[in-house]
Amino acid sequence: MTLSTEQLSPDDWRRICDALRYLGRDLHHRSFSVTAERREMLWEEMDQCLALADRLSTAQADPTDQEG
């Protein structure tokens, strides 16, 4: 199934952002029980999830900014 971004409602985008933030928090929580090397990898992934959630939220808040 292919889904275009135009088919997603604002509530769908909010859920995606919330899920990414939840995943980031979960990765942070898991990082306390692993080695330092693995912890660094989890934190990098956490940062990427949170940054993507922020970018998606911003894009949805200001649709005219999506082109740039």
Side-chain angles (χ1 to χ4, degrees), residues 20-51:
L20 286 166
R21 289 184 180 108
Y22 178 85
L23 178 59
R25 286 190 301 269
D26 186 57
L27 289 168
H28 185 261
H29 177 74
R30 290 172 186 241
S31 73
F32 291 106
S33 62
V34 297
T35 64
E37 181 180 300
R38 180 80 175 141
R39 182 177 304 120
E40 187 174 322
M41 289 172 41
L42 290 174
W43 284 353
E44 287 176 22
E45 190 64 26
M46 174 193 71
D47 289 342
Q48 292 297 320
C49 287
L50 296 175

Side-chain angles (χ1 to χ4, degrees), residues 1-16 56 60 66:
M1 179 175 103
T2 302
L3 185 68
S4 72
T5 57
E6 292 84 24
Q7 292 175 294
L8 297 173
S9 72
D11 282 342
D12 293 333
W13 284 108
R14 181 189 51 77
R15 285 184 188 95
I16 292 168
L56 291 173
Q60 285 306 118
Q66 287 183 358

